[in-house]
Amino acid sequence: MPAEPTPSTAPAGRRTQGLVSNSTSQLLTFGFRAIAGVGVVVLLARSGGPEDLGVVQFALTLTSLLPFFYGVPTLLAREVARRPDTARRWVEAGTLLSLGFGTLFTALLFGVPLAIGASQATVLTIGIAGIGMAFDGIARVQFAVFWAWERLSTETWITGLQEAAYLGGTAAVLASGGGPVAATVVFAASRAVGALISWGVVGVRLGGLPVPRVERGALRPILRQSTPFALSDTLTLTNGRFDAVLLGLLAGPAAVGLYQAATNLVLHFNVIARSINRAVFPRMGRAWPDRPDEFGRLRNLSLRVLAFIALPVTCASLLLAPRTLDFLYGPEFAPAVLTYQLLIAVIAVRMMSHTFSLSLTAADRQKERTVAVATAAVLNIGLNFYFIPRFSYLGAAITTVICETALLVAYAVLLRRVAGRSELFRANGWPLLAVVPMAGAIVLTADLHVLVSLAAGLAAYGAAVALIAALRGGGVSRKRPARALAALVQPALPPVSGAPTGGSR
């Protein structure tokens, strides 16, 4: 199969087109995952209340803390983007690692709860969720190759099939009288669908199925390279999800159900940041360390795009919080409103943090990133042990806000030392101005249905952004409005050619 020009050598128009199409593909992927994730939570909440929802979410959260794919996807994407000819070797080794760790952790997840005398439902939901996560680990290795090849649309349609199976299957089993165990079986089956299809598609593109194996003498170096990524991934998830596990242990499944009803509406928005950054990351990796100006431009472009998404999402979510929970879950979940409003504060923080996190990885600063997230994870655990016994799920939300903010500051400082200052604050200027009419529209429609208020707010925000673009663009905005809108997200700071790089590690 003839090789196409890489983004670094393709014409400028094609480079821009590639970023837009890949970001759009990832946003669609986000849409599929979000619809399925929120849909399943709503179905469980309405069929079994906080208790059944808590059982399933505890199992999924606990199993997600384990490094099933052992840090391979991000490392694989970076290395294959730099050296495309190594794709088969990396996929085969990565698939072997995910299979090995998946088998190990699944056995532990069945054995440990059984050994300590947990209930049959707990043993089954945790163990089956582990099987699903093992398949998910295999799929993520395959998806990482699409990421490196900048063929993110392939991941999109596979994810669409996977999430349709998850949502449709869950609806079917709950309608037929199934409970948490049946819903978890559907989750595992949907992850198997995604893993098998993605593995087959990668095989077609490579000219033959990648066999899970590793070259003689290569396993130890790959494990050594993957370990910082595995630690970082695991600690990041611990930092973001340990609270739900601790809630389950200290306060029971009902508290987990109330908390996860809130977090489910917040955490999914971080996939928007992944959607943008997965399109940018391979190019950042190629730009470092020889083209620090291009690296900085891509980082600031990501910050600006995310600001225009994160701030309206935060504004609308905060103002619509009570009506949203009642609309989706029913009156049983009213006690979680304040918790949800606190968690909304971290939507923008998480998105910006993701840009800095991947930028550090692209700049070969994985060690520093791991130290930062390890520190945040330790802080998270300590604060949760203090706040949860006192305030239950509200205490978990307080801890999340503190730790996510601290991690963003740490990432920003670390990256500034490497690549110069960013536009973290400047990127939020125009979006902040545009959300003012959005807030007004939502407040004025407070007596109407929540969807009407949401539509009014989005319309006001869109009109405000268009007006800002028109005023800034002048004659350009009349002739080419799309160009005027695109100008709003262009980095304002000049390239920092003198930024310290420290070389490649």
Side-chain angles (χ1 to χ4, degrees):
M1 185 168 57
E4 297 189 8
T6 64
S8 59
T9 60
R14 181 167 181 175
R15 292 202 301 268
T16 303
Q17 184 181 13
L19 283 177
V20 172
S21 63
N22 284 325
S23 295
T24 302
S25 295
Q26 281 293 281
L27 286 172
L28 287 173
T29 302
F30 154 73
F32 292 140
R33 291 185 184 275
I35 290 170
V38 173
V40 167
V41 168
V42 170
L43 290 170
L44 284 167
R46 289 191 171 274
S47 67
E51 190 82 16
D52 280 5
L53 175 60
V55 170
V56 175
Q57 289 298 308
F58 178 79
L60 295 180
T61 304
L62 176 64
T63 54
S64 72
L65 298 181
L66 299 173
F68 278 93
F69 42 83
Y70 204 71
V72 170
T74 305
L75 174 63
L76 186 155
R78 189 186 72 186
E79 295 303 311
V80 174
R82 292 174 177 176
R83 290 174 286 275
D85 58 300
T86 63
R88 175 174 289 278
R89 185 165 73 247
W90 274 106
V91 174
E92 291 180 343
T95 304
L96 177 66
L97 286 178
S98 62
L99 275 172
F101 282 102
T103 301
L104 171 64
F105 290 133
T106 300
L108 290 174
L109 288 167
F110 270 113
V112 173
L114 191 62
I116 63 176
S119 67
Q120 183 181 18
T122 299
V123 173
L124 287 175
T125 53
I126 292 176
I128 295 168
I131 294 174
M133 290 298 179
F135 279 116
D136 192 55
I138 296 170
R140 287 176 184 271
V141 171
Q142 319 307 313
F143 289 161
V145 194
F146 303 140
W147 184 7
W149 287 338
E150 299 191 43
R151 295 292 184 269
L152 299 180
S153 60
T154 307
E155 179 186 354
T156 299
W157 68 261
I158 295 174
T159 301
L161 292 175
Q162 171 182 284
E163 299 306 321
Y166 183 29
L167 181 58
T170 302
V173 299
L174 293 179
S176 63
V181 174
T184 312
V185 170
V186 172
F187 167 78
S190 70
R191 302 308 107 165
V193 168
L196 295 175
I197 294 176
S198 59
W199 188 31
V201 173
V202 169
V204 170
R205 290 189 175 273
L206 289 176
L209 273 180
V211 179
R213 61 186 174 187
V214 65
E215 297 175 355
R216 183 184 299 273
L219 179 60
R220 184 173 295 178
I222 291 175
L223 284 172
R224 186 167 57 248
Q225 281 183 280
S226 301
T227 296
F229 290 87
L231 290 173
S232 181
D233 291 343
T234 303
L235 291 169
T236 298
L237 289 171
T238 300
N239 183 49
R241 300 181 182 180
F242 179 78
D243 43 15
V245 175
L246 191 58
L247 267 174
L249 296 175
L250 298 180
V256 176
L258 290 168
Y259 184 66
Q260 289 296 98
T263 58
N264 186 64
L265 298 177
V266 172
L267 295 181
H268 278 295
F269 285 112
N270 199 47
V271 185
I272 296 177
R274 296 174 195 165
S275 303
I276 304 297
N277 290 326
R278 283 189 177 181
V280 175
F281 177 74
R283 303 184 183 201
M284 294 181 76
R286 285 190 289 268
W288 189 265
D290 298 325
R291 290 175 284 125
D293 292 352
E294 176 69 6
F295 179 90
R297 187 189 71 80
L298 290 168
R299 172 200 58 192
N300 291 333
L301 176 65
S302 172
L303 291 173
R304 282 185 165 268
V305 171
L306 289 175
F308 273 97
I309 299 172
L311 292 186
V313 167
T314 300
C315 174
S317 299
L318 186 63
L319 294 176
L320 296 172
R323 289 188 284 165
T324 299
L325 291 186
D326 182 69
F327 173 67
L328 291 176
Y329 306 128
E332 285 183 278
F333 289 82
V337 169
L338 180 57
T339 298
Y340 176 40
Q341 289 174 319
L342 269 179
L343 291 171
I344 288 167
V346 306
I347 291 176
V349 171
R350 275 177 165 270
M351 288 190 184
M352 302 297 174
S353 185
H354 190 270
T355 293
F356 286 113
S357 174
L358 274 190
S359 297
L360 285 167
T361 300
D364 301 323
R365 292 303 189 275
Q366 186 62 33
K367 179 180 178 180
E368 290 87 340
R369 176 192 174 201
T370 302
V371 171
V373 75
T375 303
V378 171
L379 177 65
N380 182 291
I381 293 171
L383 290 177
N384 271 311
F385 271 111
Y386 176 81
F387 282 113
I388 286 178
R390 290 165 174 79
F391 305 107
S392 189
Y393 45 87
L394 180 62
I398 294 171
T399 298
T400 297
V401 173
I402 295 172
C403 293
E404 292 294 341
T405 304
L407 189 58
L408 171 61
V409 172
Y411 282 160
V413 171
L414 288 171
L415 191 60
R416 178 168 181 164
R417 293 175 181 174
V418 176
R421 66 192 181 99
S422 70
E423 295 185 1
L424 175 60
F425 295 106
R426 191 168 185 173
N428 291 277
W430 295 121
L432 276 172
L433 183 62
V435 298
V436 174
M438 178 186 209
I442 292 175
V443 171
L444 290 174
T445 57
D447 294 331
L448 302 178
H449 192 278
V450 61
L451 295 181
V452 175
S453 290
L454 177 60
L458 291 176
Y461 179 73
V465 171
L467 179 61
I468 292 170
L471 293 174
R472 291 187 75 247
V476 174
S477 63
R478 290 189 295 273
K479 295 178 181 179
R480 296 187 177 182
R483 180 176 293 183
L485 289 171
L488 289 179
V489 299
Q490 293 303 311
L493 292 178
V496 186
S497 57
T501 64
S504 177
R505 292 184 181 179

